[in-house]
Amino acid sequence: MKKLAIGCIMAAAFATAAHAATTMPAAPADSSTIANYYKQNVYDPKESKIGTIDDVLVDKSGKVTGLVVGVGGFLGAGEKDVIVPFTAVKSQKKDSRSTRPRTA
């Protein structure tokens, strides 16, 4: 019983230390959330809707490399996924509260 209690105390101490080491006090200034892109509509330079971002591709280092855009189809039927390089998509303010992804 004594070994179990010591084991639990040590596990709690390690968990607390690990948790404290991986948290940040605030988000970095140049970061944005995935919600700025995920499930957002994508428009071409002429403001025609191309599709919707269905997924975000991330490499092993955590860098966003591309976006999976669902194009074509009607109400989800016949839709095709296209991978667009992340550098080809720019965000544009739609209104004061949200951004609108656009291809270059």
Side-chain angles (χ1 to χ4, degrees), residues 23-86:
T23 61
M24 299 173 73
D30 61 344
S31 64
S32 66
T33 66
I34 197 121
N36 288 345
Y37 296 97
Y38 185 66
K39 296 296 181 190
Q40 297 293 315
N41 293 328
V42 179
Y43 298 86
D44 67 10
K46 295 180 181 180
E47 294 294 321
S48 298
K49 182 179 171 185
I50 296 172
T52 304
I53 298 174
D54 292 333
D55 213 342
V56 178
L57 302 175
V58 181
D59 66 12
K60 290 181 182 181
S61 69
K63 180 181 172 190
V64 176
T65 56
L67 301 170
V68 179
V69 179
V71 297
F74 181 71
L75 297 176
E79 186 176 271
K80 177 180 164 187
D81 287 338
V82 176
I83 298 174
V84 178
F86 185 67

Side-chain angles (χ1 to χ4, degrees), residues 4-29:
L4 178 63
I6 291 173
C8 289
I9 291 170
M10 289 181 61
F14 286 129
T16 303
H19 178 66
T22 59
T23 61
M24 299 173 73

